[in-house]
Amino acid sequence: MKRIILIAFVLVMGMATTSLAGEPLASWNDTASKKAVIKFVEEVTEEGGQDFVAPAERIAVFDNDGTLWSEQPAYFQLFFAIDRVKALAPEHPEWKEKQPFKAAIEGDLKTLFSGGEHALLELVMASHAGNTTEEFERIVKDWISTAKHPRFNRLYTECVFQPMLEVLSFLRTNGFKTWIVSGGGIEFMRPWVEKVYGIPPEQVIGSSIKTKFEIRDGKPVLVRLPEIDFIDDKAEKPVGIHKFIGRRPIAAFGNSDGDLQMLQWTAAGSGARFCLYVHHTDEKREWAYDRNSSVGRLDNGLNEAQAKGWTVVDMQKDWKRIFSFDREK
Amino acid sequence: MKRIILIAFVLVMGMATTSLAGEPLASWNDTASKKAVIKFVEEVTEEGGQDFVAPAERIAVFDNDGTLWSEQPAYFQLFFAIDRVKALAPEHPEWKEKQPFKAAIEGDLKTLFSGGEHALLELVMASHAGNTTEEFERIVKDWISTAKHPRFNRLYTECVFQPMLEVLSFLRTNGFKTWIVSGGGIEFMRPWVEKVYGIPPEQVIGSSIKTKFEIRDGKPVLVRLPEIDFIDDKAEKPVGIHKFIGRRPIAAFGNSDGDLQMLQWTAAGSGARFCLYVHHTDEKREWAYDRNSSVGRLDNGLNEAQAKGWTVVDMQKDWKRIFSFDREK
């Protein structure tokens, strides 16, 4: 009897292993994009092959907004900032008549965007600074576990791209270290990315405000200051990668012109390289936008991807499903 | 016959395992310091124990200068800066008459130190900036593999503390991620720490100058600018830890007042914590200095360590040997 159980166990485990090893990227259609990802991983992991890369050098970097999760109708962090402003409004009666706070409190995205980058920055500073790092972490955790996306009425962490989760997992299975390199706030991402993407906080690069060490009531704290430390976007993405990782990635994944320099920096190293753009082409299941979008514009990047032969994912054609909840439909 | 070989193999492997597992910290005398390190590691790794810490949270941070390698008669990076100034001097005839360059070219440490922090900063800017990150990495690698320490006439990378290498290794064997958190230059350390300490470049935090992304001859480069980005010392050490790691360490190792806030920040977390100061007490084998030293002063830190019951290593009494070459004597 024991023996039968053992055999059954071995068979089941064998099947599980086969299924895992046999079908990476299960939510991808069998098109050129999927084949390109698999081919690259096979090349750099083939011991003795001419493109073999030692595990320590298998660094893959991922943009977040629009690459790992959606970024429409606005960056999700902006919804967080708006909710923070609403929560803090009772302590700031002057905000009722003062832009951009008035627009935030009224949920008026149009007016908010019309104020340009400066208005958004003012909003982020007012809503993200002033507390300790521990307090801010708790605030983010509370928000991310309750707030819902306006279109899908789902947690924001459900609005992540299932096919990209499979890429992350496929790379890690093959000895890669996966990193986020995002224009979003580093402290906005760190509290939840480990659970959602399997990426630990120490592998997250993002924009940040300064912090200051203080002793409060005999206890050391880090206080968040309303002062920009680093904006991790465009030409600053390679700067951030070099600062935090100190090695050049061999694979980079993005979706907008803000990721172009990161892809260029990755592509310019020696040996096998992989660059991929997620092209938002699926209005029905997600959104369709590129050259003329104010959020996540993909214009120069698309030209360069075509010129250099980088992989461009057509979300509509390449992905069987976009969100894990798509299959429920 | 095969069976005998198999048995022999098992025996040999068993002995090897026993010897590794049976004697961590082999260069440590059997004093309170060694016992404290081992006790802490046992506590946080005992599954089901009240002090158990999940592997992902086993973060240990180490100062470098004076904690992992020597820092006398001056920080080793200063010798590097001096050698760089000498190499660049032909392009800068004006340096012959201009301090602090004149003192550097003449190897006059006394005059160099008399210029204070400002003089040293000027030296570092002139010698560390202006090239690309790739060029600088090659320069550091060349220097570190050839330059010799003035007292020991050994490579600087041989002047590392054997007992601390054993701590690094012991922690990693027990699921810890080991990080360097140093006032030294991040790009001065990254090219060699992996080989010497087993710490990958992405686990190094240090002082830095700014870099700028540029396309040169169609190729993207990062150019090193003569502008401070971050000074990773004193109250900035917890700031750097939070910026790069995003988790609070559970163990911290330092040797000077510059590490005090890092130890305070580590100690203030909940659950089991471990803080250790290396006290330089061995004039014969290394150096003896503390409260009155200009390099690596340990004054407030020593008081706090005594008050809080942190482990203070007495190099003379606690360490069987300091450098791996000590045993050759």
Side-chain angles (χ1 to χ4, degrees), chain A residues 245-258:
Chain A
I245 310 180
R247 312 193 205 242
R248 195 192 295 250
I250 64 167
F253 301 77
N255 79 299
S256 78
D257 284 357

Side-chain angles (χ1 to χ4, degrees), chain B residues 120-134:
Chain B
L120 299 179
L121 204 61
E122 213 179 334
L123 213 64
V124 166
M125 288 302 176
S127 59
H128 284 54
N131 34 32
T132 68
T133 52
E134 288 196 316

Side-chain angles (χ1 to χ4, degrees), chain A residues 1-12:
Chain A
M1 187 59 188
K2 260 191 191 162
R3 192 165 179 163
I4 292 171
I5 292 172
L6 186 69
I7 290 169
F9 179 77
V10 168
L11 281 173
V12 168

Side-chain angles (χ1 to χ4, degrees), chain B residues 58-62 68 164-165 167-173 175-181 197-200 202-204 245 251 253:
Chain B
R58 291 182 203 155
I59 305 281
V61 288
F62 292 80
L68 295 180
M164 294 305 289
L165 294 182
V167 170
L168 286 170
S169 165
F170 179 55
L171 289 175
R172 288 194 293 258
T173 302
F176 278 76
K177 232 177 183 176
T178 51
W179 290 71
I180 290 174
V181 180
Y197 300 137
I199 295 177
E202 63 267 29
Q203 284 162 226
V204 179
I245 310 180
F253 301 77

Side-chain angles (χ1 to χ4, degrees), chain A residues 133-134 177 187 190 194 200-202 211 213 220 222 229 235 238-239 242-248 261 265 268, chain B residues 133-134 177 187 190 194 200-202 211 213 220 222 229 235 238-239 242-248 261 265 268:
Chain A
T133 53
E134 288 196 316
K177 233 180 184 175
E187 299 210 51
R190 278 179 166 162
E194 185 150 35
E202 62 267 31
T211 64
F213 179 85
L222 289 170
D229 179 41
V239 168
H242 185 72
K243 186 198 295 223
F244 280 75
I245 310 180
R247 312 193 205 242
R248 195 192 295 250
Q261 289 87 347
W265 177 244
Chain B
T133 52
E134 288 196 316
K177 232 177 183 176
E187 299 209 50
R190 279 179 165 161
E194 186 150 34
E202 63 267 29
T211 64
F213 179 84
L222 288 170
D229 179 40
V239 168
H242 185 72
K243 185 197 299 225
F244 280 74
I245 310 180
R247 313 192 205 241
R248 195 192 294 251
Q261 289 87 347
W265 177 244

